Amino acid sequence: SGSRGSGSRGSGSRGSGSRGSIRESLFGRKSGKGKDKRRSSRRSSGRSSFSSSSQKMTSFWSDLANENDLWEENDDDDRYNCCELFSAFWQSRWYLMKRNVSVLRKHPHIILLSLLVFIVFAAASMIMIAVLAQSQRDDLENERLEVRRAAEELAAQTGKFFSDQLDRAILPLFSMAQFVQELDIFHQLPNDIGLAGGKDYVGSSEGKKGALPFNSWDPAVKNGPSHRNVTGVCDEPELVERFNQIAETIKENSKMEGVLVNVQLAPQAVVCMLYPQINYEDFDPPMYMDNTGAIGHDLYNDPNRTAIAQATVPSDKVVIAGPLSLVQCFKCAVAVERAFIARLAIEIPDVSVPGLNVTDPDTGKPRVYNKWGFAVVLINWMELLNRSGVYEQFAKEGNEFQLTRTDQKQNTTTKEYYEKVVVLAESPGFGATNSRGKRREIVSVKLDTTNNEWVMHVEVGDYEMIDLDTYPEWETGAYIGAAIVSVLFAAMFLTVLLEKRLNKSVLEQMLPGKSLKLVSRGKTVVEKFDQATVFFSDIVGYTSMSQELRPLAVMKMLNEFYTGLDAIADKNDVYKMETIGDAYMVTGGAPYRCPGPEGAAKVAMFAIEAMVFTKNFKTSDGLTVQIRAGINTGPLVAGVVGVLKPKYTIYGDTVNVASRMESNSLNGRVQVSETTYFQLQQNPEWDFEYEDRGLIPIKGKGEMHTWFVDSFHPAPPNKKI
């Protein structure tokens, strides 16, 4: 811009004033007494310098280089005392450490490669150690393998017993499901019960409606919000009699007395009929099982049953959960209260039912399955465990065991599912230490049972959990020595990669990554951008300020100020094109392409945050600055110029207009062109606050409509573009 290029001093201006006068006018700092005349002279010469557009900034710096008196402060810069040297040393070390950490965080592959070198070098140096030590461990390892193998065989035998017993116990489910499919008397039960809170269903039995209500809470039987009132539906004499005949026959034919303790039907996932309601025959007096509390139990509305119920619906196999505390056994004995619940989903072709909803794990949306409901059997876990003889078998071998199962539960608050490991059985000594006060070795075996979810953990005899890598004793010291050498070698390798990365980072700061690759291959770099946004800014009064400050102070101020702008540019993902004296230039949408509205928004947010930063900026010497800025959006061409010192540069009228936006802007304001204003309006994620400046004359362009952009905030979700 014209104002940026006209910053050299007029003739004789250097001698007409002092540094203090301009400091006071620009930064509010007081000058010495008796300098009013020189201050007035400086203002006059400053105005003359700003109005002269033909002088070059280079002439100012050339004149400044010849002024020896301005550099006198640096004469003693190379003389330090011991404390200063010590402080400078540690400050440089701290800077290098922060720089290296920053590079490693951005390029983790350097660490990974160094680790790989460490591993390879360490492995090569430790092979001999490992070979020698392994021969001393082989005998012990072979002995332990034999013991582990015996434990695994015992666990597998136990798993086979449980699997066989469960397979026998669930066979009645298939018979019960076949009766439901073939007998019309059961077909309309899902329609008569209906969905909880749902509407009536067409086709329900005469005189009955769907969507049966829930019971109120009854603490005496632990019966309430999870139970539906099925009176008049599930207690019809003809229906109950037919079900009892079928269930009794199926239970007797299973030959699982004491194990298979109840047969149920749950149309629409609601327990409707069960046999026997009160079970005396499978328990030793005075124990018995009262199942009446399960009638009306809505499995879909009980958080302890929802997960397994929904898992059963889409499956064509039996799904088993437990052992669980039965809802009907509020005050039952332990031998009665805990049981496995096995369910089989029933589907009746050509029969209209409400269906059962299951959340699709892929889409997260509910899916309705045309399922009638479930056939259910209860399996007495304590009886099954006693018949297995698992306690006696493991005690005979001198082992301890723990049998676990993983179940899914539903969080009643979040409705999310989580896994819970349940201990099915455990020997008294499991988890205890051996005679030497150490934990015994544990062998875990996954048992081949229904659903394949059981794990048997076996503590093997008196064998301790020994880390064989620590034996023999000399091996540890040898490994430590080899590791130290490997670390040193890897550290040297990391240092080489780090320095190489730092050198490349310097080049990447000069040229974009894509351009750097092309230049390194000797190719010409040129590319076109249809919609790119360009930002220019200038420090107001920079020329006058530079005349009154020492070069070191000017450079220190510029470095501190532009370091802050660099951080803002990095935060907003804009590309810093260059700095020329007091001018700062960034782009959005070039060289890294993005949609026009996105690039414009990034640059605008950078500009607004830069203005906020400038208002709060103060150097360590107490100096403050003011800037003006301009933004324009449009097509441009970019490329790399030069070979000895290649430079990435942008060309086009878009750049010129952006410069005019800056030169015609006001102090502390960001002026945007009409094209930038339009692109910002099109951004779906951000809204900006503007001040319409109207038409202003622009050199070489005539009158242009511009705006000041002052702030931004997230756009509403339904923003109209």
Side-chain angles (χ1 to χ4, degrees), residues 27 50 59 67 97 116 163 167 189 217 232 379 394 421 479 485 556 586 645 673 676-677:
F27 309 117
F50 275 113
S59 63
E67 294 295 334
M97 185 182 72
L116 180 62
S163 178
D167 287 344
L189 285 175
W217 175 254
I379 303 169
F394 279 88
V421 177
Y479 281 133
V485 175
K556 187 176 181 181
V586 302
K645 188 179 179 181
S673 65
T676 301
Y677 173 79

Side-chain angles (χ1 to χ4, degrees), residues 89-359:
F89 171 79
W90 284 111
Q91 287 180 3
S92 64
R93 294 299 95 188
W94 176 250
Y95 168 77
L96 291 175
M97 185 182 72
K98 292 195 299 182
R99 182 202 64 179
N100 294 342
V101 170
S102 177
V103 172
L104 293 175
R105 291 179 62 182
K106 292 181 179 179
H107 305 281
H109 68 276
I110 295 178
I111 299 178
L112 295 178
L113 287 175
S114 301
L115 286 175
L116 180 62
V117 169
F118 167 77
I119 293 172
V120 172
F121 191 85
S125 62
M126 293 178 181
I127 288 177
M128 185 63 70
I129 300 173
V131 170
L132 294 176
Q134 187 61 39
S135 62
Q136 300 183 26
R137 292 194 293 265
D138 285 342
D139 293 340
L140 178 61
E141 181 65 17
N142 291 333
E143 182 181 353
R144 294 174 68 181
L145 286 176
E146 293 180 2
V147 176
R148 288 172 63 91
R149 190 177 299 111
E152 291 174 357
E153 291 178 357
L154 181 57
Q157 292 175 5
T158 304
K160 186 176 186 305
F161 170 82
F162 286 123
S163 178
D164 293 342
Q165 293 295 308
L166 289 175
D167 287 344
R168 288 182 56 193
I170 65 176
L171 285 177
L173 291 174
F174 297 95
S175 300
M176 196 72 243
Q178 186 174 2
F179 277 109
V180 171
Q181 292 170 342
E182 294 179 357
L183 299 179
D184 294 340
I185 193 172
F186 297 111
H187 289 182
Q188 287 302 319
L189 285 175
N191 294 319
D192 294 337
I193 294 174
L195 294 173
K199 299 180 179 179
D200 297 341
Y201 290 94
V202 178
S204 61
S205 300
E206 183 179 357
K208 300 182 180 65
K209 298 292 185 179
L212 295 179
F214 284 96
N215 293 332
S216 58
W217 175 254
D218 184 355
V221 295
K222 200 177 179 181
N223 188 333
S226 63
H227 284 63
R228 306 276 288 280
N229 187 350
V230 295
T231 302
V233 175
C234 297
D235 56 358
E236 288 189 354
E238 181 183 356
L239 182 67
V240 173
E241 181 182 2
R242 189 73 176 112
F243 168 76
N244 287 342
Q245 292 174 353
I246 297 171
E248 181 181 9
T249 303
I250 290 176
K251 186 175 182 300
E252 290 179 356
N253 292 337
S254 69
K255 305 300 182 183
M256 296 290 290
E257 295 82 0
V259 176
L260 179 60
V261 295
N262 200 252
V263 180
Q264 301 176 1
L265 283 181
Q268 202 56 37
V270 176
V271 178
C272 181
M273 290 170 290
L274 43 82
Y275 176 86
Q277 289 194 5
I278 300 178
N279 187 342
Y280 295 101
E281 59 194 47
D282 291 312
F283 302 95
D284 296 329
M287 290 189 298
Y288 66 93
M289 174 182 280
D290 185 354
N291 294 295
T292 56
I295 298 175
H297 185 205
D298 191 330
L299 304 176
Y300 261 45
N301 286 276
D302 184 343
N304 292 320
R305 302 291 192 267
T306 302
I308 191 65
Q310 290 200 1
T312 307
V313 172
S315 176
D316 57 355
K317 298 180 180 179
V318 175
V319 178
I320 298 180
L324 302 173
S325 296
L326 302 175
V327 296
Q328 62 267 38
C329 275
F330 186 31
K331 296 181 179 179
C332 294
V334 176
V336 180
E337 182 253 352
R338 295 182 65 79
F340 281 99
I341 304 175
R343 298 185 182 92
L344 175 65
I346 301 174
E347 182 175 1
I348 307 177
D350 303 325
V351 174
S352 176
V353 293
L356 295 173
N357 291 337
V358 176
T359 301

